[in-house]
Amino acid sequence: MTETPTGDDGTLRVRLGALRELVGLSRTRLDGEVLAEAGCVLDEAAARERLPTAYTAVAIAGATGSGKSTLFNALAGAQLSEAGVRRPTTATAVSCTWDAGREQGPDGLLERLGIPARARRRAHVVDTTLRGLILLDLPDHDSVDTAHRDQVDRLLSLVDAVIWVVDPEKYADAVLHERYLRAFAGHAEVSLIVLNQADRLPGEAVEAVLDDLRRLLDERGLALGEHGEPGAGVLAVSALTGDGVAELRRQVGELVAARTAAGRRLAADVDGVARRLGPVYIADGADAPAGLTARAREEFEDGLAAAVGAPAGGQAAERAWLRRADRACGTPWAQVARRLAAHQAERRGEPPALAAKRLRAAGPPVVARAAVDQAVRQVAADAADGLPRPWARAVRDAARRGGEGLPRALETALERNPAAPPPRPRWWSVAGAGQAVLLAAQFLGLCWLVTAFVGQPVVGRWLPLALLVGGSVGGPLLAWGCRAAARGPARAWGQQEEWRLRRLAADRGHTQVLEPVAAELMRYREVRERYVIAASADGGQDGGAGVSVPIR
């Protein structure tokens, strides 16, 4: 079993696993181009993990005439790579390997790098400090041959560390700094910047050029390993005279002996991918968005309640209760007058009669679609607030898809769940019987008085008058009292009907819209957690506090 390519293999494994899950969860929400770089890093990490960590691949890269082939030969201790005045000299990458001992050979790593067998060399000088080193002499990165430049770019994406070779004349070359060193700013810990041909400069000029080189590197964001800080090393050498070569060999030996260059390179690759993916997963800061808040849910349910007419339905149910109470407890004379008035209005075609006809011929319930659309758009906007653009779009799309069928679902729910008939309280029957008794008292008193007026002898002349007056006054008083008593139950019945309609609308809205939106938000929370782990230098052990999130 091969070792993981890092000294801190646990953290890197966690970060790579989180990045792999992140890509898997995001494939259906993000464009393939956005995730292409992350996929390449994962593929390279898997390929490197299958290879032994006993070997470390270090590339020497530089421009035409920088003397990188001469420096390669100086480190190898033999003339292994062609060096001369002809440009470009190096057309194919050449490797030199220092055997790591009994462990697995370097062939697997060389095959991955694509070094042909004819270009593979073995070190002639045994140097225990460089044991396990595979040193590569790359073609010129500024070669006029595009195939050479493509080969450089491919190998730079595969090697574990890079020695950037510059010369006193072109150390500030814009192509080197902008295309390569700026892009490799995150790989400072596995980079060495070598000012070659230092013998061409006077003693005092070497330090001046190194200082200017450090300034340029700092401006490109490349951290320098000075004063014990991690970063790229900068030194001056002369491959021709051998000055500084021993120090360079020592630094390369330390890099190889640690056997952590591959892991640090992969960690830097993950850092770069996470940095570029930051705006896709975290927008405008590191705080998590609120998502579907209780207020957003409540406003959505209020909008659907208004769309199905829940407040109006509750008021109508309350008024219907009061009308039934009036009919059950009102005076007979008022009921007769009400029927006569309705009959006359119907004969004349007046609006009350027409409204009654419309009510009797009412069709299926109709939902205010505009109100439903507005409620869906509002809850989608609230839920998507603070999300990165792709995930906000996914939330809005989920709400829109659910909202398309919501009006019909609400109408179907209203059809299948009609309002139940209101109950008839027992005291209505008692009140009706009381009205009948008072009506009988009115008739009895009236008949009694008529009999007295025609001269027939009666017992007690004030008694019939009392019956007539008591029946005439008691009926309206009883009706008024019953109406006052019915207001509380009528209000409760109206509230119950409004709550029923609100629940119907809220249940359908929850199924059609809120659940899909919540599912999208849950997916975003999962990918955000994966992103925080992948982007954290410690694999998210500090809860993501160390994540550097780009602000757009």
Side-chain angles (χ1 to χ4, degrees):
M1 180 178 177
T2 60
E3 299 177 63
T4 307
T6 175
D8 190 7
D9 60 337
T11 298
L12 183 57
R13 282 184 183 276
V14 170
R15 296 183 67 190
L16 290 171
L19 184 62
R20 188 174 296 106
E21 293 177 9
L22 180 69
V23 171
L25 290 170
S26 305
R27 289 192 186 279
T28 59
R29 300 299 182 271
L30 302 179
D31 294 335
E33 295 180 359
V34 176
L35 301 172
E37 184 183 5
C40 290
V41 170
L42 290 172
D43 292 342
E44 295 300 335
R48 187 64 179 91
E49 187 174 2
R50 290 191 292 269
L51 299 172
T53 58
Y55 287 93
T56 301
V58 180
I60 299 180
T64 302
S66 61
K68 54 185 178 54
S69 296
T70 305
L71 183 61
F72 175 84
N73 293 331
L75 289 173
Q79 192 74 16
L80 302 181
S81 181
E82 182 180 357
V85 295
R86 184 174 59 88
R87 303 290 183 260
T89 300
T90 307
T92 302
V94 178
S95 71
C96 180
T97 303
W98 281 260
D99 289 333
R102 300 179 181 177
E103 299 187 46
Q104 184 176 347
D107 293 341
L109 185 52
L110 290 170
E111 289 293 334
R112 176 174 179 260
L113 295 172
I115 306 299
R118 68 179 184 277
R120 300 177 186 180
R121 311 283 189 268
R122 290 188 179 275
H124 290 259
V125 178
V126 178
D127 189 342
T128 57
T129 62
L130 299 181
R131 178 176 296 177
L133 170 64
I134 298 178
L135 190 65
L136 303 179
D137 181 18
L138 303 187
D140 303 331
H141 67 70
D142 60 349
S143 173
V144 295
D145 192 334
T146 57
H148 293 182
R149 298 198 301 269
D150 293 341
Q151 187 178 175
V152 171
D153 293 343
R154 181 184 65 82
L155 287 170
L156 286 177
S157 67
L158 297 177
V159 296
D160 303 323
V162 182
I163 299 174
W164 300 97
V165 181
V166 298
D167 61 75
E169 293 180 353
K170 295 190 294 183
Y171 71 88
D173 180 62
V175 174
L176 172 65
H177 284 272
E178 294 300 326
R179 182 177 178 183
Y180 291 103
L181 293 181
R182 185 185 292 275
F184 272 75
H187 299 75
E189 293 189 32
V190 289
S191 299
L192 290 171
I193 292 83
V194 175
L195 176 65
N196 193 18
Q197 303 174 10
D199 57 297
R200 295 170 52 190
L201 296 172
E204 64 277 4
V206 173
E207 287 302 322
V209 172
L210 285 177
D211 289 341
D212 194 41
L213 177 58
R214 292 188 183 96
R215 178 187 61 81
L216 292 172
L217 296 173
D218 185 65
E219 290 176 356
R220 269 65 180 184
L222 190 72
L224 301 180
E226 298 177 337
H227 311 295
E229 296 293 329
V234 180
L235 69 158
V237 303
S238 174
L240 288 177
T241 64
D243 292 340
V245 174
E247 175 61 20
L248 176 60
R249 183 180 287 109
R250 184 189 65 80
Q251 293 192 23
V252 173
E254 290 177 356
L255 185 68
V256 173
R259 295 188 178 183
T260 60
R264 284 188 283 174
R265 167 62 194 265
L266 285 176
D269 289 340
V270 175
D271 289 339
V273 168
R275 183 170 58 254
R276 286 181 283 276
L277 287 178
V280 179
Y281 293 103
I282 298 181
D284 301 330
D287 293 336
L292 272 177
T293 62
R295 179 178 179 181
R297 292 174 180 269
E298 184 178 352
E299 290 179 352
F300 177 64
E301 293 180 358
D302 289 342
L304 294 186
V308 301
Q315 294 174 2
E318 181 179 351
R319 289 193 296 268
W321 179 288
L322 292 175
R323 285 195 299 271
R324 293 182 71 244
D326 286 343
R327 287 195 295 270
C329 306
T331 63
W333 305 114
Q335 297 181 33
V336 171
R338 188 181 300 110
R339 290 192 181 94
L340 290 175
H343 181 66
Q344 292 297 326
E346 185 175 0
R347 291 181 60 186
R348 292 192 298 269
E350 293 180 355
L354 296 176
K357 289 182 179 179
R358 284 196 298 268
L359 289 174
R360 288 196 298 270
V366 178
V367 174
R369 293 177 178 267
V372 173
D373 293 341
Q374 175 60 29
V376 172
R377 286 194 298 270
Q378 185 61 48
V379 75
D382 292 340
D385 184 37
L387 291 176
R389 184 176 301 174
W391 303 97
R393 182 173 62 248
V395 167
R396 287 192 293 267
D397 289 345
R400 176 183 53 79
R401 288 192 298 268
E404 289 175 352
L406 183 56
R408 181 54 189 163
L410 292 173
E411 291 172 353
T412 302
L414 294 176
E415 290 177 5
R416 294 178 178 177
N417 299 275
R424 180 183 177 86
R426 293 183 179 179
W427 61 269
W428 285 7
S429 300
V430 176
Q435 289 288 6
V437 171
L438 292 174
L439 179 62
Q442 292 179 53
F443 273 111
L444 179 58
L446 180 60
C447 294
W448 204 331
L449 289 177
V450 170
T451 302
F453 283 137
V454 298
Q456 295 296 326
V458 294
V459 179
R461 295 184 176 273
W462 294 104
L463 184 57
L465 183 60
L467 290 173
L468 179 60
V469 173
S472 301
V473 175
L477 286 176
L478 179 59
W480 177 83
C482 290
R483 183 175 181 82
R487 286 196 182 98
R491 188 178 300 109
W493 179 255
Q495 292 173 349
Q496 181 177 341
E497 177 62 14
E498 179 179 356
W499 181 87
R500 184 186 71 86
L501 294 174
R502 288 181 66 91
R503 284 299 89 205
L504 280 177
D507 290 343
R508 296 308 180 276
H510 188 273
T511 302
Q512 295 279 127
V513 176
L514 295 187
E515 286 185 359
V517 168
E520 289 296 332
L521 292 174
M522 180 62 69
R523 178 185 288 265
Y524 170 70
R525 292 190 185 95
E526 290 178 2
V527 299
R528 181 187 171 91
E529 291 174 357
R530 298 296 95 190
Y531 172 77
V532 168
I533 294 175
S536 300
D538 62 352
Q541 294 180 10
D542 64 347
V547 180
S548 177
V549 179
I551 306 298
R552 291 188 299 173

